[in-house]
Amino acid sequence: MDALVLKGVRDFVIQTVAVPQPDADEVICKVDTTFICGTDPHIINGDFPGFWPKGYPFVPGHEWSGTVVQAGAKASQLGWKEGDRVCGISHCGCGYCAMCLKGRYNECLNYGHEERGHRQYGHYTPGAYAQYMRTSVKSIYKIPDAMSLEYAACVDPLSIALYTVKRSRMQPGDDILILGTGPQGLMAILIAKALGAGRILAAGSGARLKKAEELGAVPINYKDGDVVQKVKDLTNGLGTPAVLECAGTADSIRQACLAAAKGGVVSVIGIPHEEPSLPMKRIVLDEIEIVGNRANPNTAQATIDLLVNKRVDITPLMTHRFPLKEFGTALDVFEKRKDGAIKVATKPNGMNLT
Ligand SMILES: [Zn+2]
Ligand SMILES: [Zn+2]
């Protein structure tokens, strides 16, 4: 099969490799679509040496959908069969540790230990930039016939947005501030709207801020001065009860803590390169809560339901599609945000919509 093989830092080729075989609790899927995630360029550029990936050669890719073509013995007993249409998530907990038993498999105590059953597809376990994907049944979800597989490949990032909004404890009618209008920030706008947000304030710049406005957010341009003051001006000086930090800069995390209302929650998805200096006096005295979020534990099924019931429409964010063979071009379009690129699809098995 064709696969995108990373051979080193920023060194990749499309190459013929063996089609994988499933273990008992695994299936092999024919991949329909794999979207480029914001993490992928970091993995490709070697920003997490020895961790994501642990070594080379490596096949990345984790925002994917496809059709089951082969099921292992245990997977069959559990009801998985050839022809099942599925989408995947990256995390696969060991299933046995204390965190997995609490349902918090994204924080598995056996993280990184494949011999103990842990996987993280496309990060250190081989992923979905390939014609076939080997995956544990713990990391796939069935999708209804009514949903196209290309659409379903967005479930992974969209379910991260759902987790981030839920963890902010935003209540129906609450104003919410979203810092950052990259793909995750834009998806968080869609989810916040579906969950009954009051006003959605979005801070960003350029074409992506324009997109945020088109999706229904009140735009705040980073370049027009003090974001925190702008938020205060729009909220009678109070700030917003829920803040999502989707920009991943030290400045933005600090702004999030300052723009939250008293008793507010700052739900963080971005990982900054530099440690932020936090306004601790404010955080303590105004009882600001800061919540970190890792991936999408137990939110993929609800995301599928939101999509299939048309509470969320991801179409405006699906901007580009390329054959996997043209991955270099696809990555360039994604990284340089060419032609309004937001979610860029790659198609390992042909360009038809299925
Ligand atoms: Zn991702
Ligand atoms: Zn575990």
Side-chain angles (χ1 to χ4, degrees), residues 15-26:
Q15 189 173 290
T16 304
V17 301
V19 175
Q21 288 297 303
D23 273 351
D25 67 342
E26 293 177 332

Side-chain angles (χ1 to χ4, degrees), residues 103-124:
R104 301 185 70 170
Y105 56 87
N106 59 326
E107 296 292 346
C108 176
L109 297 176
N110 287 316
Y111 188 96
H113 290 277
E114 284 199 326
E115 77 284 5
R116 300 182 197 166
H118 183 273
R119 308 276 187 273
Q120 192 179 8
Y121 299 106
H123 291 71
Y124 80 89

Side-chain angles (χ1 to χ4, degrees), residues 161 164-165 168 176-180 188 242-246 256 265-268:
T164 311
V165 174
S168 78
I176 186 168
L177 169 65
I178 299 174
L179 294 162
V243 180
L244 308 187
E245 203 299 299
C246 306
V265 179
V266 175
S267 185
V268 183

